[in-house]
Amino acid sequence: MTDANRASRISEAARREPTAVELEELGACLDADSRAARGHAAEALGRLALAGRDVEPYADRLGGLLADTELLDAGVRLSVDPDAEGWFQPRVVAFAAAALVLTGSVERADTIESAVRAYERSHPEFDAETRTVTAVREVGWALASVVIYTDGYVDVLVSLTERDDDLVRRVAASALSDVAEEYPPIRDAFPDETPRLVAVAAESLASDPHPRVRYHAAFALYEYALGRPELVRGRRDVLVAALEDESELVRKDAAGTLGLVGATDAVPALRELAESDPADRVRGSAADALESLGEPE
């Protein structure tokens, strides 16, 4: 049996019967020469962590996976419901990292930073900030995919939005916005934790010092307002204050959200934004919000 076949069998067992997997065999597959074997083993590592297996003795292999440039683009399919067509696909190494982070099998901040740096290196064609933005989204999506897949780990995700490290909060906020955007289409329902996640996003929008964190928080509120406007309506004061944010992306999504929640009290601020904001997309978002509120320019 080839290493790839052996690792594929382990990955399938990790999905169907995780208690039956021999961890020593997993370790050998994580170190295999075959790229396919390492990919299957990375998937198994993540699934076993989520199943409650003690994978900490193998967590040190994550560094090698993150340095494995051949493997970073490989995807993994996570079935939400075996009888449903809905599915989503994070990168397999990012998925393994997210599973280890959320289950506490690794030091969370260091692992998130290592994962972001790995995915930054995989995009040498971009400028530095674009590389970081792309990598943050990749790792954030992996975290969100695990939260959606397991319908759990919200406490951990929330705790990551409260870290001192800007990069960790950026990843966590990106994951938060992905949960807001993707959970209803994938699960066909909002999670029970939605009111709490709305509150977390509003707090991040109101107080986080990093503009990209505030942007992801504003986008999360916009996505929740699309489906559950009643849960966001009480955050109008935060959204109105965000109309003056230094980030045009924040201003844009705050304006759009105010339109979705029927915030007629925000009409004067939205009208000023539509008339004088320096960014075209912000003026357009404010104009659209005014129209949805029955107050066209």
Side-chain angles (χ1 to χ4, degrees), residues 66 105 146 171 256 278:
L66 290 169
S105 302
V146 172
V171 171

Side-chain angles (χ1 to χ4, degrees), residues 4-191:
N5 289 337
R6 183 178 295 106
S8 178
R9 178 176 56 78
I10 291 172
S11 177
E12 183 65 17
R15 185 171 71 87
R16 294 184 179 277
E17 194 177 358
T19 58
V21 173
E22 292 289 342
L23 293 181
E24 290 183 4
E25 198 173 9
L26 170 67
C29 290
L30 287 166
D31 296 331
D33 291 334
S34 163
R35 174 185 179 274
R38 296 194 303 274
H40 289 309
E43 177 180 346
L45 178 65
R47 290 187 184 276
L48 291 172
L50 296 176
R53 295 294 301 273
D54 180 13
V55 298
E56 286 191 38
Y58 302 91
D60 61 353
R61 305 298 210 286
L62 185 61
L65 294 172
L66 290 169
D68 194 341
T69 55
E70 289 187 336
L71 200 56
L72 290 181
D73 284 340
V76 55
R77 177 168 175 154
L78 300 179
S79 298
V80 175
D81 181 342
D83 298 322
E85 294 182 359
W87 62 278
F88 51 104
Q89 181 169 287
R91 305 296 186 187
V92 67
V93 177
F95 163 69
L100 294 175
V101 164
L102 291 173
T103 58
S105 302
V106 292
E107 205 294 315
R108 287 175 170 136
D110 289 349
T111 301
I112 288 173
E113 181 170 357
S114 295
V116 170
R117 299 310 175 209
Y119 281 96
E120 283 178 332
R121 291 192 296 271
S122 71
H123 292 289
E125 71 276 17
F126 297 152
D127 63 79
E129 177 56 20
T130 303
R131 286 199 302 271
T132 301
V133 168
T134 303
V136 164
R137 287 186 177 278
E138 197 74 72
V139 180
W141 170 235
L143 288 171
S145 72
V146 172
V147 170
I148 297 169
Y149 172 59
T150 62
D151 197 21
Y153 298 105
V154 168
D155 285 345
V156 179
L157 182 58
V158 169
S159 74
L160 294 174
T161 69
E162 299 167 349
R163 291 289 189 115
D164 291 336
D165 188 311
D166 286 351
L167 187 60
V168 173
R169 295 199 317 280
R170 285 180 69 172
V171 171
S174 179
L176 188 72
S177 68
D178 285 331
V179 170
E181 181 180 19
E182 300 295 345
Y183 200 113
I186 290 170
R187 288 286 192 182
D188 201 30
F190 285 89

